């Protein structure tokens, strides 16, 4: 952006001098050449004009090129101006880095005092609009749109929260209540710290409660009626249609050391590379799933769809023993190597599962067993476009039909798989994960009716307090996902909320697409029965 502006000013400067010279030549020098016997007064007048032109161009030079560019209004180029290709070397921006100073932390055991708290983002009129699923931020915060969020509401969310997060002038304070499963809270907080390193001074003061357990708990029915209290705002990783919990990106985007899943930015590259190892038509023509069946009855039912001596449901499903896998060095759980089948099954565990984004990232068709829960991005997926819906009440027959249909409609099936992987690679890249967090926290902070304060028992967190004492995979993943410094680009532009007709139309379209697939499946099995 700045390089273009400077070049534009040079172009205007040289254009100004060349045009001025041609005009003088046409109006003064040519008549003089034709009539050399002119008076000395005319000659002095010409000298006066030339001196004036020289001073004028020097004025433009000082104020337009060599002066303070920030003080001049922006000028737009015109196609009428002659453009010259100028070989001008402009010194590129030097990115600002925020060093991880473990030496200082080990001496003081406190966060650095020189963290940037303000940063001017580069204004860019071509900043992209955020992906469609960002519009659900408005829907998640709609319960408090009229009343705002009071301190009492926040305090009532403490009942099940794992921690309270407070941001004050760009610094982070955390009050912990309950230990989270594994390192969910640790990597969630690490992700929030990276957001503030990416956009220092741009996240407003706020106070919120976060629950790291899978199941949403703020039931809509408990806050209906004229005399009901406002619902407590509680952040977590997933929600469902009967609850009001506010969904937030899950911890695994910054790594999941307990099962050796690396941070999302690097893992996304592995998944893309894995997609290129085998063409869709050369992949195994079956539906693949590998996971822990012990966490849910529905997964135990899925295991029954595996190949047997008497039945082939077109499914190849495997139980994952994470304890044995960790002892063997995770050799059989590399996600980048699991795009070898034409179809991959997504099925929830005890609630929503982080595996959904890994499954969708393959060019394989995602067979999505009817879910109860959603996370922050899955509401942007469309059935039959990004995935194939599978019935929950008759999984085996539904999977067999899906695979038979896909193998008979190769081009359409490949298109579904490709649409999903492109969605993951483009609309769920790490910069959009940060932008979703940024916009969600900004919109949430606007609703607060009280001034956030640092709780008495809260401790300050920064990259040093978390990364410096860390060890093993946790340390490795912290360093891999560390944001080195501010970005010069602004966050994507937040889309407008849905109006009721638009939202109803989208939900109806999804419902109709699923019903259409269920009708095809019903007819398929009825014809099978008639044939036998």
């Amino acid at each position: 952006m700045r390089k273009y502006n400077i070049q534009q000013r040079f172009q205007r400067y040289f254009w100004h001098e060349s045009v001025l010279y041609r005009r003088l030549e046409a109006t003064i020098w040519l008549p003089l050449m034709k009539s050399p016997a002119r008076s000395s007064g005319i000659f002095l007048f010409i000298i006066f004009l030339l001196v004036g032109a020289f001073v004028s161009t020097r004025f433009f030079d000082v104020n337009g090129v060599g002066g303070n560019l920030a003080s001049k209004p922006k000028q737009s180029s015109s196609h009428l101006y002659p453009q010259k290709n100028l070989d001008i070397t402009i010194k590129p921006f030097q990115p600002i880095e925020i060093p991880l100073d473990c030496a200082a932390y080990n001496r003081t055991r406190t966060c650095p005092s020189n963290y940037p708290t303000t940063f001017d983002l580069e204004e860019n009129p071509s900043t992209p609009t955020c992906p469609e699923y960002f519009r659900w931020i408005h829907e998640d915060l709609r319960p408090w749109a009229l009343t705002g969020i009071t301190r009492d509401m926040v305090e009532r969310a403490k009942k099940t929260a794992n921690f309270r997060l407070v941001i004050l002038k760009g610094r982070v304070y955390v009050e912990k209540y309950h230990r989270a499963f594994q390192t969910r809270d640790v990597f969630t907080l690490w992700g929030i710290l990276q957001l503030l390193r990416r956009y220092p001074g741009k996240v407003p003061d706020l106070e919120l409660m976060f629950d790291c357990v899978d199941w949403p708990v703020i039931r809509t029915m408990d806050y209906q009626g004229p005399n009901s209290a406002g619902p407590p705002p509680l952040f977590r990783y997933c929600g469902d249609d009967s609850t009001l919990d506010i969904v937030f990106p899950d911890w695994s985007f910054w790594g999941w050391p307990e099962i050796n899943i690396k941070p999302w930015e690097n893992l996304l590259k592995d998944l893309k590379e894995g997609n290129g190892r085998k063409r869709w038509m050369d992949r195994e023509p079956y539906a693949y799933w590998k996971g822990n069946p012990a966490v849910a009855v529905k997964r135990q039912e899925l295991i029954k769809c595996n190949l047997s001596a008497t039945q082939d449901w077109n499914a190849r499903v495997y139980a994952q023993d994470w304890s044995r896998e960790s002892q063997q060095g995770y050799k059989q759980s590399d996600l980048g190597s699991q795009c070898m089948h034409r179809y991959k099954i997504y099925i929830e565990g005890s609630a929503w599962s982080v595996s959904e984004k890994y499954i969708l990232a393959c060019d394989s068709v995602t067979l999505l067993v009817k879910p109860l829960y959603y996370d922050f991005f899955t509401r942007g997926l469309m059935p039959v476009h990004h995935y194939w819906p599978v019935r929950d009440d008759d999984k085996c027959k539904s999977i067999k039909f899906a695979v038979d249909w896909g193998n008979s409609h190769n081009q359409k099936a490949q298109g579904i798989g490709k649409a999903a992987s492109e969605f993951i690679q483009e609309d769920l890249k790490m910069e959009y994960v940060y932008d979703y967090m940024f916009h969600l926290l900004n919109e949430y902070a606007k609703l607060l009716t009280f001034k956030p304060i640092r709780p008495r028992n809260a401790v300050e967190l920064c990259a040093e307090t978390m990364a410096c004492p860390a060890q093993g995979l946790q340390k490795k993943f912290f360093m891999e996902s560390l944001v080195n410094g501010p970005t010069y680009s602004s966050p994507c532009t937040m889309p407008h909320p849905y109006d009721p007709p638009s939202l109803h139309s989208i939900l109806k379209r999804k419902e109709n697409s699923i019903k259409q697939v269920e009708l095809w499946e019903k007819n398929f099995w009825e014809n099978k029965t008639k044939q036998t």
Side-chain angles (χ1 to χ4, degrees):
M1 175 63 74
R2 297 198 177 198
K3 182 176 180 179
Y4 172 78
N5 287 341
I6 292 174
Q7 284 182 330
Q8 188 180 69
R9 293 175 187 275
F10 270 109
Q11 289 169 350
R12 292 191 172 210
Y13 161 66
F14 284 114
W15 173 84
H16 177 87
E17 285 200 328
S18 61
V19 171
L20 180 61
Y21 174 80
R22 288 197 298 270
R23 288 179 178 174
L24 286 171
E25 181 183 53
T27 58
I28 298 175
W29 290 118
L30 289 180
L32 280 176
M33 291 175 65
K34 292 179 181 179
S35 304
R38 294 286 182 180
S39 66
S40 59
I42 295 176
F43 181 78
L44 290 174
F45 176 70
I46 294 170
I47 295 300
F48 173 78
L49 288 178
L50 288 175
V51 171
F54 179 82
V55 172
S56 173
T57 55
R58 292 295 78 88
F59 175 81
F60 278 103
D61 183 29
V62 171
N63 290 277
V65 178
N68 182 6
L69 295 179
S71 65
K72 294 290 291 179
K74 293 183 178 180
Q75 302 177 8
S76 59
S77 61
S78 168
H79 67 281
L80 298 177
Y81 295 165
Q83 301 294 311
K84 297 183 179 181
N85 295 324
L86 301 177
D87 187 14
I88 301 172
T89 302
I90 305 297
K91 187 177 181 179
F93 282 120
Q94 294 297 323
I96 297 175
E97 292 191 4
I98 306 176
L100 188 70
D101 195 347
C102 287
Y105 171 75
N106 290 335
R107 290 193 305 269
T108 64
R109 296 292 171 177
T110 59
C111 293
S113 59
N114 59 346
Y115 264 33
T117 55
T118 61
F119 187 76
D120 292 330
L121 299 175
E122 182 77 7
E123 292 185 8
N124 187 352
S126 62
T127 298
T129 301
C130 304
E132 181 76 8
Y133 65 84
F134 277 61
R135 300 177 78 177
W136 287 96
I137 290 175
H138 301 293
E139 300 306 312
D140 286 348
L141 298 177
R142 193 174 296 281
W144 303 276
L146 296 179
T147 62
I149 297 173
T150 65
R151 176 165 292 283
D152 174 68
M153 292 176 180
V154 173
E155 293 300 329
R156 284 190 282 112
K158 179 180 177 179
K159 182 178 179 181
T160 64
N162 290 93
F163 62 83
R164 181 200 304 262
L165 171 76
V166 178
I167 298 177
L168 294 174
K169 296 181 179 179
R171 304 183 80 88
V172 175
Y173 305 93
V174 175
E175 183 180 31
K176 292 194 175 183
Y177 304 122
H178 308 289
R179 183 178 178 181
F181 178 65
Q182 295 181 339
T183 52
R184 290 184 176 196
D185 56 344
V186 173
F187 277 85
T188 298
L189 290 167
W190 175 258
I192 293 170
L193 289 174
Q194 303 320 298
L195 172 68
L196 269 64
R197 289 169 70 91
R198 181 178 175 87
Y199 296 125
K202 300 302 178 183
V203 178
D205 291 357
L206 58 83
E207 193 171 332
L208 62 82
M209 296 289 184
F210 204 108
D211 188 339
C212 299
V213 178
D214 282 340
W215 310 280
V217 296
I218 310 300
R219 299 187 305 172
T220 305
M221 61 181 296
D222 293 338
Y223 303 96
Q224 294 178 335
N227 298 322
S228 62
L234 182 61
F235 286 70
R236 69 176 346 100
Y237 307 121
C238 72
D240 62 31
D241 292 338
S242 64
T243 57
L244 301 173
D245 300 62
I246 303 169
V247 294
F248 194 84
D250 71 81
W251 73 95
S252 67
F253 282 99
W254 297 272
W256 192 353
E258 287 82 4
I259 57 174
N260 196 38
I261 291 181
K262 64 179 65 173
W264 182 237
E265 190 165 12
N266 290 335
L267 181 56
L268 204 55
K269 297 174 184 176
D270 293 349
L271 292 167
K272 187 173 184 178
E273 181 183 341
N275 264 337
R277 294 176 188 169
K278 184 173 284 191
R279 295 187 316 119
W280 191 88
M281 286 298 296
D282 297 332
R283 298 182 184 187
E284 295 293 320
Y286 304 108
Y288 172 89
W289 181 81
K290 190 173 188 178
N292 182 6
V295 297
V297 173
K298 61 175 67 176
R299 288 191 173 185
Q300 294 166 19
E301 294 171 349
L302 178 64
I303 294 293
K304 299 176 183 178
C305 301
N306 212 349
L307 177 67
S308 67
T310 58
Q311 184 66 53
D312 186 356
W313 296 109
N314 290 334
R316 303 293 184 263
V317 297
Y318 306 91
Q320 178 74 281
D321 185 339
W322 283 111
S323 177
R324 184 175 62 183
E325 185 66 13
S326 64
Q327 295 172 3
Q328 296 178 354
Y330 301 99
K331 295 178 181 179
Q332 304 300 318
S333 58
D334 176 45
L335 294 172
S337 302
Q338 294 186 18
C339 297
M340 298 292 108
H341 292 73
R342 294 183 185 178
Y343 312 88
K344 292 192 71 174
I345 300 169
Y346 169 75
I347 186 168
E348 294 176 335
S350 57
W352 140 94
S353 171
V354 300
S355 66
E356 188 165 13
K357 56 182 176 289
Y358 312 132
I359 292 170
L360 288 161
C362 282
D363 284 343
S364 309
V365 181
T366 297
L367 306 185
L368 198 150
V369 180
K370 185 178 180 179
L372 293 176
Y373 304 95
Y374 54 77
D375 66 7
F376 76 102
F377 74 86
T378 50
R379 288 172 289 184
L381 300 173
M382 190 63 65
V384 192
H385 178 67
H386 294 111
Y387 67 89
W388 187 270
V390 169
R391 297 174 64 95
D392 185 41
D393 56 356
D394 204 347
K395 300 176 187 63
C396 299
K397 292 175 71 174
S398 193
I399 290 170
K400 178 171 177 54
F401 167 71
V403 173
D404 283 349
W405 181 91
N407 289 337
S408 301
H409 301 81
N410 290 332
Q411 294 299 320
K412 292 181 179 179
Q414 288 182 69
I416 295 172
K418 194 67 176 176
S421 60
E422 287 179 352
F423 175 94
I424 296 298
Q425 289 287 342
E426 297 301 323
D427 288 358
L428 200 62
K429 51 190 174 183
M430 200 62 208
E431 65 186 68
Y432 281 141
V433 177
Y434 281 124
D435 285 0
Y436 189 95
M437 297 162 62
F438 176 85
H439 285 301
L440 174 58
L441 294 180
N442 268 272
E443 296 300 318
Y444 170 83
K446 292 177 185 177
L447 295 171
L448 298 181
T449 63
F450 62 94
K451 184 177 180 179
I453 58 174
R454 177 179 179 175
R456 180 181 305 172
N457 298 323
V459 297
E460 183 176 5
L461 282 190
C462 57
E464 281 78 5
T465 62
M466 299 191 73
C468 295
Q471 296 179 346
L473 272 183
Q474 184 170 321
K475 175 91 168 188
K476 181 175 183 290
F477 290 166
F478 279 165
M479 300 313 296
E480 285 183 10
S481 59
L482 178 71
V483 171
N484 291 320
T487 177
Y488 281 99
S489 58
S490 299
C492 59
T493 302
M494 183 70 168
H496 295 297
Y498 289 113
D499 57 57
S502 298
L503 182 57
H504 175 77
S505 176
I506 289 175
L507 296 177
K508 194 66 178 177
R509 178 185 167 193
K510 290 184 178 184
E511 181 184 348
N512 290 340
S513 295
I514 293 173
K515 285 183 177 180
Q516 179 64 70
V517 171
E518 290 177 348
L519 180 60
W520 291 341
E521 183 180 327
K522 178 174 177 291
N523 293 337
F524 172 83
W525 287 109
E526 285 179 353
N527 290 335
K528 280 277 189 182
T529 302
K530 291 178 182 178
Q531 292 172 6
T532 57

